[in-house]
Each structure stands twice: as C-alpha cells, then as structure tokens.
Amino acid sequence: IKMSERAETIEAEPKPEQRAGRPDFDGHKSEDNDPFIPKPVTAEERALAFQAWCLRQSPRGSDFLKPEHDLAARRCGVNLNHEEYAFKLHDNYGEFRREARALSTFLDTAGGYTHPSETFVAQLERAMLWFGAVRQTATVIRTASGEPMLWPTTNDTGNTGALISENATVSQQDVTFGAVTMGAYMYTSKMVLVPFTLIQDNAVNLSSVLSDMLGERLGRIGNTHFTTGTGAARPKGIVTAATTFSAAAAASISWDDIFKLTHSVDLAYRNGPGAGFMLHDTICRDLRLLKDGNGRYLWVDSLQQGRPDTILGYPVYTNNDMASTAASGNKTVLFGLLSKYMIRDAGTIRVKRLVERYADSDQEAFLAFMRMDGNLLDAGVAPVKVLTH
C-alpha cells in the first residue's frame, strides 16, 4: 500500500513542461526563474537523503520516513531500495560471538550522549585533527572502473637539434617512452555498530554524522599512503617517489637548505602552476623562527584568508604525515610541482549498511569502501624533490 501511494505521489508531480511559472520542487522559485533549471541540491537535502536510505534499509525504518525524506531522496537521485549507498566524488568478523564494540543509547561514550534529554544541546561537537593536504595539491583523476591504467611518459630533454651543412645527411635520434601504472587499491573505513534505538532516538542526525566520519577515515589512510606509501601493494607516496636532495646538517634546517632545494628543481617545474612546498606543521614552526641578518623573519604570512603562507613566493602546504623532526634519515621538506602527483579514484565511495548480520542484537553496521591509487608522474627530470637529512 505504501509503495502504491508513493508511486501515485510521484505520478502526481508536475512534468517539466507543466511547471512553467510554478514554484520549484520545494515551493521556491529558482534563482533565475527558469522552470527547467532545478535548484541546486543542498547539504541538508543530502543529509536527509542518506538518513532516508538508512531508515529504509531497516525492516521497521520505513515507518519513520517523512515526506521530506522522499523529496530529498528524489532530489539527490537516491534509490532508497538499493542495498548500497554510493557517494559521488567532487572524495573480519571471525567468531560469531567474538566481542565487538558497538554504539549504545545506554553507555554515554558509545552514543548515549546523543540521546536527547531536558538539558541536551542538539549539536554534536566533534574532535578535529589535521592529517594532510596531498589531495589539495595533487591532480585527481576519477574513473568508472579500476583496471590498471597506463600513463605514458617520455624524456627527450637530453636531445637537441643539430647544425648541418648544405646537402648533408640528417642523423637519426629516436624518442624513448616509459609509463607510470595506476591501479586501484581497496580501502575500507572499518565497521561501526549502531543499535536501531540510537538511530531512531538521537537528536544530532547521527546517520549524516556517521557518513562524514567514515569518509574522513578513508581520507586519513589515503593521505598517509599518498605521502609515504611504499608502492608495494599500496600507492607510492609523494615523499617516497620524490628525488632526494641532501641537507647540509643531519639535525637542523637552514635557510640556505631551502634556497638550494628550490633551485635544485628545474625552472620548467618550479615556475609551473602548482609549484610549492609541503612539510609537517612542526617543521613549519622551525622555519618560521628563521631570521635574516637584520633579525627579520623570512617566512611570509598570507594576508588573505584561505590562502597559504609562502616561502620565497611559493605556497606552503601542511602535511602531518611527513617527518616532524630534522634527524638523520628523515625527509622533511618537499618542493616542486606538487600537481605532478596523480591520485586515481575508481568508482565512488560506497557505504553499506548490514542489517540482518546483527539482527539478533537489534544492531546495524555501517562501513564504507573506496578504491584509489597514487604515484608521482616523473618522466625523468625530477618534478618534485625532498630535503633529506
């Protein structure tokens, strides 16, 4: 009956040609008053669509669906009956009775604090921790599938033209090619167990909060591997792939080191769009303390909000997956054309909700999957170098 009523509601929606001069989906005129251009989907609608999908997956959840849930799902193009929720990118349970940590409405630290009470504040304060900016500077490629992808390279920089005399025979100089292979390694956010009562009773839109947390878990492991990954059964990180440049001292960084590192990268790369520095926040602090002979700080703070600080005119990006101290063997400062690091995302971020597996405990599990890979596109002239102690 509910499905029939919902179908009738959808059929009753005015067709595009019938909406001329009428309010858009949510009762408001589109900004340009064009009835054929719907309003952009808002963050609130995306949260409602995900919440609607979570409720529909539960046998009892459909009873709690509201008209705004259905409307948001249609606006976002979400199939509520599909067993998997795919987030579009812009980003073992062994023994049956093995102990597993789950969220709860009774244990405060496991979710009980999100249960409303007379003195409850309906806003969740989440701890924050900066983990890196590789995706911010890299070139991101998104593909529909994850089969191996070859990126061809060539290095003809050692060859030049030649001066010849009249009627002389031209010599031959072939061009050689190489390739960087991009795969698609599988990553998961791990599972989060949630009792249905908490999904039903929480006052902080827990479904949306969980989706953000699972995505951030994937972001953290991705940034770590995109920074220091070995390339063996995982992405090759930018620090691992960068060409090394030796610092003058094993336990310190001088301003001369920064100058020399900068000029060790060819002009073709260091003058290109996307050139910059990347380093740990602690190393940033150490460089901020450096002064010239007149006692003036050499670091230049950005005067525009949202724009990075600069060193020698190049932007500085903080990546806390890099080495935090200047010590023997550590790689502390990256410089070069950071956009030459390529990240490949295969498909979408997929969130799954396991209902029957934990039904005997009235719990449901949320987990996310994503396939990605990364590598530095180096044709042989070192577009990125790293200061090594």
Side-chain angles (χ1 to χ4, degrees):
I1 292 174
K2 289 183 178 180
M3 292 179 64
S4 177
E5 292 176 346
R6 189 171 294 108
E8 292 175 359
T9 301
I10 294 175
E11 288 295 328
E13 287 283 339
K15 303 297 185 294
E17 62 272 12
Q18 298 173 329
R19 290 205 303 267
R22 296 186 56 180
D24 208 339
F25 291 101
D26 56 359
H28 298 284
K29 293 282 188 178
S30 56
E31 293 182 358
D32 55 0
N33 294 322
D34 188 338
F36 297 100
I37 302 179
K39 291 181 62 179
V41 176
T42 65
E44 182 180 0
E45 288 175 316
R46 286 193 292 270
L48 280 173
F50 183 72
Q51 188 180 59
W53 177 81
C54 292
L55 289 170
R56 177 62 65 81
Q57 300 306 306
S58 174
R60 297 174 296 169
S62 297
D63 297 336
F64 302 96
L65 285 173
K66 300 177 181 179
E68 53 263 35
H69 285 121
D70 282 335
L71 179 60
R74 291 200 302 272
R75 291 266 292 148
C76 298
V78 175
N79 184 352
L80 299 182
N81 296 315
H82 202 281
E83 296 180 353
E84 184 179 281
Y85 191 101
F87 284 94
K88 295 182 180 179
L89 296 172
H90 287 304
D91 157 77
N92 297 327
Y93 191 81
E95 302 296 331
F96 287 111
R97 290 292 140 211
R98 189 179 70 178
E99 180 181 355
R101 183 174 182 84
L103 298 184
S104 167
T105 58
F106 302 103
L107 182 61
D108 290 340
T109 57
Y113 284 129
T114 66
H115 197 282
S117 65
E118 293 182 359
T119 58
F120 180 81
V121 178
Q123 181 175 346
L124 181 64
E125 175 63 23
R126 293 170 53 194
M128 301 177 65
L129 186 67
W130 181 261
F131 50 91
V134 178
R135 276 188 178 270
Q136 181 182 350
T137 60
T139 299
V140 180
I141 302 171
R142 298 187 175 102
T143 58
S145 60
E147 70 271 9
M149 180 178 67
L150 293 179
W151 194 297
T153 63
T154 185
N155 182 4
D156 197 51
T157 58
N159 299 321
T160 63
L163 176 66
I164 62 173
S165 58
E166 187 176 356
N167 298 324
T169 302
V170 176
S171 60
Q172 179 180 335
Q173 179 64 62
D174 293 331
V175 177
T176 58
F177 295 89
V180 174
T181 303
M182 302 287 286
Y185 298 104
M186 178 68 76
Y187 287 86
T188 179
S189 63
K190 302 180 182 178
M191 286 195 306
V192 177
L193 286 175
V194 186
F196 179 78
T197 53
L198 182 59
I199 296 175
Q200 180 181 346
D201 297 343
N202 81 90
V204 295
N205 196 1
L206 185 61
S207 298
S208 178
V209 172
L210 281 175
S211 68
D212 290 343
M213 289 181 175
L214 296 181
E216 288 173 6
R217 288 183 179 185
L218 292 171
R220 292 187 187 99
I221 184 63
N223 190 82
T224 299
H225 286 180
F226 294 150
T227 303
T228 57
T230 61
R234 65 188 61 194
K236 192 169 187 178
I238 187 170
V239 172
T240 306
T243 303
T244 59
F245 180 82
S246 298
S252 64
I253 301 176
S254 67
W255 203 249
D256 287 350
D257 287 331
I258 302 300
F259 269 106
K260 293 177 181 178
L261 173 66
T262 303
H263 284 272
S264 69
V265 176
D266 190 83
L267 272 169
Y269 291 117
R270 74 173 188 259
N271 285 349
F277 289 91
M278 184 177 290
L279 54 162
H280 192 281
D281 189 51
T282 303
I283 302 298
C284 285
R285 178 204 62 190
D286 295 341
L287 292 182
R288 281 177 178 271
L289 296 175
L290 295 178
K291 301 177 183 179
D292 62 16
N294 297 318
R296 296 174 298 187
Y297 289 104
L298 297 167
W299 184 286
V300 178
D301 290 322
S302 174
L303 299 179
Q304 184 176 351
Q305 186 177 6
R307 294 187 62 85
D309 298 335
T310 61
I311 297 177
L312 303 177
Y314 296 100
V316 182
Y317 301 96
T318 303
N319 183 352
N320 282 352
D321 278 319
M322 293 182 61
S324 60
T325 58
S328 181
N330 283 359
K331 298 178 178 181
T332 54
V333 181
L334 277 169
F335 174 76
L337 195 57
L338 302 179
S339 58
K340 284 296 181 180
Y341 188 78
M342 315 299 292
I343 293 177
R344 189 247 185 123
D345 292 332
T348 59
I349 299 178
R350 297 174 294 115
V351 175
K352 289 182 177 291
R353 181 171 182 168
L354 309 183
V355 178
E356 296 181 0
R357 184 172 178 180
Y358 302 99
D360 56 344
S361 301
D362 199 23
Q363 295 174 341
E364 299 171 9
F366 292 83
L367 68 161
F369 295 95
M370 184 179 185
R371 300 175 69 192
M372 50 190 173
D373 193 11
N375 204 341
L376 182 64
L377 197 61
D378 185 356
V381 194
V384 179
K385 292 192 177 182
V386 60
L387 189 67
T388 306
H389 297 268

